[in-house]
Amino acid sequence: MEWLTGLLRFMREHNYSRVETRAEQVAEWTEMVIKASEPLLSSKIDSWQTGVNRNVEGRSVRRVLGYNGNGVHYRRKCEEVTAGGFQEFAFRM
């Protein structure tokens, strides 16, 4: 919540009304999320938490749907993004 509040404050201070993640950052974050989940047993089974739902057509491929890594690492990454002026994002007026 604190980080998101900081992002919204940054947007208000710079008169931005829209924000989106830059494509290269999406790829980097996705790789980090996948790497964090690899050692977990939960990433090795078919379930709704890994994107598999036998009741829904086309939902048979296992994938990582959320960050399952270390909370300290996550907070550190958020702090780095903030300290860098949110360069990972593209802002629009």
Side-chain angles (χ1 to χ4, degrees):
M1 252 352 251
E2 294 169 9
W3 184 85
L4 186 56
T5 301
L7 174 64
L8 293 172
R9 185 177 301 116
F10 175 86
M11 290 177 64
R12 185 178 58 216
E13 290 170 357
H14 293 87
N15 295 317
Y16 294 129
S17 62
R18 303 184 103 186
V19 61
E20 62 185 59
T21 309
R22 297 180 190 278
E24 60 273 12
Q25 298 303 318
V26 171
E28 181 182 315
W29 178 253
T30 300
E31 185 61 35
M32 187 172 10
V33 168
I34 290 169
K35 186 175 180 180
S37 72
E38 285 176 349
L40 302 175
L41 179 60
S42 61
S43 69
K44 297 169 180 33
I45 60 170
D46 292 342
S47 76
W48 63 271
Q49 291 180 316
T50 56
V52 176
N53 186 338
R54 293 185 181 95
N55 297 322
V56 178
E57 188 176 328
R59 296 295 304 267
S60 60
V61 176
R62 195 179 309 147
R63 63 189 187 282
V64 178
L65 298 177
Y67 180 72
N68 292 302
N70 181 299
V72 173
H73 180 262
Y74 183 84
R75 185 172 281 275
R76 188 177 308 126
K77 181 65 175 172
C78 288
E79 290 169 356
E80 288 173 8
V81 169
T82 302
F86 301 100
Q87 295 298 311
E88 292 79 1
F89 297 93
F91 296 94
R92 308 240 188 302
M93 300 285 187

